[in-house]
Amino acid sequence: EDKVVQSPLSLVVHEGDTVTLNCSYEVTNFRSLLWYKQEKKAPTFLFMLTSSGIEKKSGRLSSILDKKELFSILNITATQTGDSAVYLCAVEGYNTDKLIFGTGTRLQVFP
Amino acid sequence: GAGVSQSPSNKVTEKGKDVELRCDPISGHTALYWYRQSLGQGLEFLIYFQGNSAPDKSGLPSDRFSAERTGGSVSTLTIQRTQQEDSAVYLCASSPGTGIPLTYNEQFFGPGTRLTVL
């Protein structure tokens, strides 16, 4: 059964800290892994990863994929209160266009 | 507007009533998805439309749930005889569909409809 597991479920840090969010997956014929940030209702796209070892970076956020060990990490450096959100990981297989989501990691950044 | 829109933004209904949720995808997007997010849960796939193909209904939790997409654009998710466990945020997303490299996997989400069944 295809599944996505994220950890930790919840994380509380202070501004300036660095955090690492984890996503492990099992999917038939893996095609891509995506990270989303969800602050209110609609998730917003962060990264799409398809190849192992290639880091995607956007400002203080970065992500990398390990297709051998079937996981991805999302790093956020120098966290800010605006980073507080639920971070969702999703994977997709070649045989389908639908995404399988994890339950998310809730990040709270305090001043 | 250029984004996915959904209506209503909030819906409160009584147990046993039927509800209809609407999604207007981004113009030109051939793929449309419905997801459900219950409190503390990840996004749960419900149904997927791609062009004129038969929809993938594998995620619908019961036969009380149905969806249609008229003219390859607007979609309506209908929940009959609502139950309290149907309370959730229902999210719609659209994407350009297959065949467009690098971008076709990205799903653009609407703001969602918060459904509360009393």
Side-chain angles (χ1 to χ4, degrees), chain A residues 41, chain B residues 7-21 82-84 86-88 90 113-118:
Chain A
K41 281 196 269 187
Chain B
S7 61
S9 56
N10 282 283
K11 177 72 177 178
V12 180
T13 191
E14 294 179 348
K15 178 181 172 181
K17 301 277 187 171
D18 297 351
V19 295
E20 282 189 356
L21 312 180
T82 52
Q83 304 293 313
Q84 288 182 332
D86 299 335
S87 296
Y90 289 82
T113 294
R114 181 174 296 279
L115 174 66
T116 303
V117 182
L118 302 177

Side-chain angles (χ1 to χ4, degrees), chain A residues 49-89:
Chain A
L49 303 159
T50 57
S51 301
S52 279
I54 299 173
E55 184 183 53
K56 292 283 185 84
K57 197 170 174 63
S58 176
R60 295 177 293 103
L61 277 65
S62 64
S63 184
I64 198 161
L65 173 68
D66 185 329
K67 291 167 72 174
K68 182 179 178 184
E69 300 298 329
L70 307 182
F71 78 92
S72 173
I73 59 172
L74 175 67
N75 280 321
I76 308 175
T77 59
T79 52
Q80 302 172 359
T81 54
D83 295 328
S84 296
V86 172
Y87 290 83
L88 291 165
C89 173

Side-chain angles (χ1 to χ4, degrees), chain A residues 38-43, chain B residues 8-10 37 43 89 91 110-114:
Chain A
Q38 187 175 25
E39 294 176 87
K40 294 184 178 177
K41 281 196 269 187
Chain B
S9 56
N10 282 283
Q37 187 169 38
L43 290 177
V89 173
L91 285 162
T113 294
R114 181 174 296 279

